[in-house]
Amino acid sequence: MRKSKEARLRRRRTRIFRLSGGKDDQRALAYASTVLRKGGLVVFPTETVYGLGANALSERAVRDIFRVKGRPSDNPLIVHLSSVDDLPLVAQQVPALAKRLAANFWPGPLTLVLPARSDVPKVTTAGMDSVAVRVPNHPIARQLIAGAGVPVAAPSANLSSRPSLTSPAYLLQELSGKVDVLLLAGNSPIGVESTVIDVRTSPPVVLRPGGLSVERIRKVAPSIVLPTFFRENSATDTNPPRSPGLRHRHYAPKARVTLYVGPPSLVWEAMRLRRSALRQLHISLALLVSWESPLKGEGVWKFGSRYTPSTVASRLFRVLRDADASGVQEMLVEGIPIRGLGLAVMDRLVRAADGRVIHVRGRKRRTGRGDQGLAQEPKFSDGSLP
Ligand code: AMP
Ligand code: MG
């Protein structure tokens, strides 16, 4: 049985289409839609990250997603629709707040967890009675899903536990020969996955920070709560996380990642010292830092502005993969403030670091006041540091 599954994985011939906005796009999209409808696997661009899609209502097709990704079967998939009007296909009931959020943020990088219809296959929802749903805001994704005429289950296209895929080069490397169709359309504009909210409870809960900032969601849902993502995922925590995906190791490059958090000038200094120490030990390393950092030299990768987190989000997974491809043993990464998309960025980095977070703190000044920088530094929603 096992052998034949592996054989099926090996046999796939991948059709690759580079979409450029021209006339040929329509032919490629029509082909990919048919493949989806018939139960095949199609990788497609969204505004967040690339997705690995299959017909959400076909148990067999969805099983193939889990198999190709090596995704644990207890981690449910997000179901993508081309329009909010299709919600009744998968959701049993839509609370008023969910309707308001959808009206404000769909199409867009927001996923709502709703009561599932009983005919949504259990493999899609990982056996839960809820379903996560999103209407993406990417013309190719929407045309593809509309053309397929079925809801499309699509997790991030990366193999399980690896950084998400946001650029054509890494998609080709990781998925050629594993799926039926690859639709390539440049780098993902937002670069981190959607924000996931459970709207079945009052107040609603953010299960995963993502491409829509909590600050913007609060304008529509002021009572929304952020659980303690980071503690929830720690080895010492005994409460099961509400979002099954949080249980698993995620976004991990091959190199060992350490995240540095604190006032930027102290963080850069700590990273510089660590670089010297590791070099003495002949350990190869990469430093991932913001544009504002004065660190330079071999192995330094710049990932965007610490004060404009959307610039970091859009580059994050690519830079993690670029640095990893250089074959280093260690990565030291500068943490950024958790405002706006900075929360999603830090969530991904804490997981990539598998909890290895160094808090760099300033010394008290003679005046008795703390280091000015500390007052503005990242603190998670519950006041804790990661
Ligand atoms: P990915 O598709 O890899 O971006 O991950 C989807 C995320 O949505 C994971 O963290 C899942 O655990 C989460 N998710 C999907 N469906 C549900 C659900 N029904 N309830 C709670 N979380 C969900
Ligand atoms: Mg994922």
Side-chain angles (χ1 to χ4, degrees):
M1 179 69 188
R2 188 138 186 218
K3 254 194 180 150
S4 72
K5 276 182 193 169
E6 279 164 11
R8 234 172 86 200
L9 273 181
R10 270 203 305 273
R11 266 207 315 272
R12 272 179 213 264
R13 187 177 145 252
T14 305
R15 294 278 309 265
I16 297 163
F17 299 95
R18 290 172 199 275
L19 306 185
S20 55
K23 264 195 269 157
D24 288 347
D25 288 7
Q26 296 310 316
R27 275 222 302 277
L29 277 166
Y31 175 78
S33 291
T34 307
V35 169
L36 273 180
R37 199 169 41 248
K38 289 189 171 167
L41 295 182
V42 175
V43 170
F44 62 97
T46 81
E47 75 278 29
T48 57
V49 301
Y50 276 81
L52 169 44
N55 178 353
L57 303 180
S58 159
E59 193 178 316
R60 187 179 152 280
V62 172
R63 272 191 207 294
D64 279 348
I65 294 182
F66 281 90
R67 210 172 288 146
V68 164
K69 274 183 65 91
R71 185 175 174 104
S73 60
D74 65 353
N75 192 2
L77 307 181
I78 294 173
V79 175
H80 293 69
L81 306 173
S82 63
S83 156
V84 64
D85 300 338
D86 289 340
L87 260 183
L89 291 176
V90 290
Q92 200 184 88
Q93 173 224 331
V94 184
L97 177 67
K99 286 187 184 141
R100 256 200 336 273
L101 287 164
N104 276 273
F105 299 118
W106 278 358
L110 173 69
T111 295
L112 301 175
V113 173
L114 295 162
R117 267 181 65 133
S118 58
D119 48 356
V120 177
K122 286 292 174 204
V123 59
T124 304
T125 62
M128 303 204 294
D129 54 10
S130 60
V131 62
V133 193
R134 170 166 113 84
V135 178
N137 185 18
H138 191 294
I140 293 171
R142 296 187 70 192
Q143 273 191 64
L144 174 76
I145 301 163
V150 292
V152 174
S156 52
N158 56 286
L159 300 186
S160 201
S161 94
R162 303 272 298 128
S164 294
L165 288 160
T166 55
S167 64
Y170 290 122
L171 277 156
L172 284 166
Q173 249 177 44
E174 196 149 305
L175 295 167
S176 292
K178 296 201 171 84
V179 298
D180 299 298
V181 179
L182 275 177
L183 295 177
L184 305 178
N187 295 335
S188 313
I190 293 178
V192 289
E193 304 82 347
S194 59
T195 304
V196 181
I197 306 182
D198 191 342
V199 279
R200 293 169 305 159
T201 55
S202 183
V205 180
V206 176
L207 299 182
R208 175 179 73 182
L212 182 67
S213 73
V214 173
E215 290 89 333
R216 289 192 57 197
I217 297 169
R218 276 226 167 92
K219 291 194 176 139
V220 177
S223 65
I224 191 152
V225 293
L226 277 160
T228 54
F229 301 105
F230 306 101
R231 275 192 292 156
E232 241 182 347
N233 202 35
S234 82
T236 52
D237 184 54
T238 49
N239 300 319
R242 297 179 51 166
S243 188
L246 302 187
R247 269 197 294 268
H248 303 289
R249 185 155 176 264
H250 251 85
Y251 315 113
K254 294 187 185 104
R256 206 173 88 116
V257 177
T258 307
L259 180 62
Y260 284 73
V261 181
S265 54
L266 300 180
V267 159
W268 297 326
E269 181 57 11
M271 291 172 79
R272 197 183 60 76
L273 290 172
R274 185 77 184 142
R275 172 170 66 180
S276 303
L278 290 176
R279 277 183 177 165
Q280 299 253 312
L281 298 169
H282 303 287
I283 291 171
S284 57
L285 81 160
L287 268 60
L288 275 59
V289 294
S290 63
W291 289 339
E292 289 81 13
S293 164
L295 288 165
K296 46 182 189 263
E298 203 194 327
V300 173
W301 301 81
K302 300 263 171 159
F303 59 36
S305 169
R306 59 181 286 116
Y307 303 115
T308 314
S310 59
T311 63
V312 182
S314 66
R315 289 167 179 79
L316 182 70
F317 288 125
R318 230 169 336 125
V319 176
L320 280 173
R321 281 178 178 266
D322 288 345
D324 218 19
S326 71
V328 293
Q329 295 160 280
E330 295 260 352
M331 274 187 213
L332 314 182
V333 186
E334 171 190 335
I336 66 166
I338 61 165
R339 282 186 296 275
L341 295 197
L343 177 64
V345 166
M346 288 298 281
D347 168 73
R348 307 309 186 262
L349 286 175
V350 168
R351 291 177 207 285
D354 212 8
R356 272 185 304 279
V357 182
I358 307 254
H359 305 277
V360 191
R361 292 177 212 279
R363 292 216 182 89
K364 292 254 179 183
R365 289 188 180 161
R366 287 233 179 87
T367 57
R369 294 171 64 203
D371 186 304
Q372 291 292 326
L374 279 177
Q376 292 157 27
E377 272 319 294
K379 281 211 175 58
F380 294 117
S381 54
D382 62 345
S384 71
L385 286 162

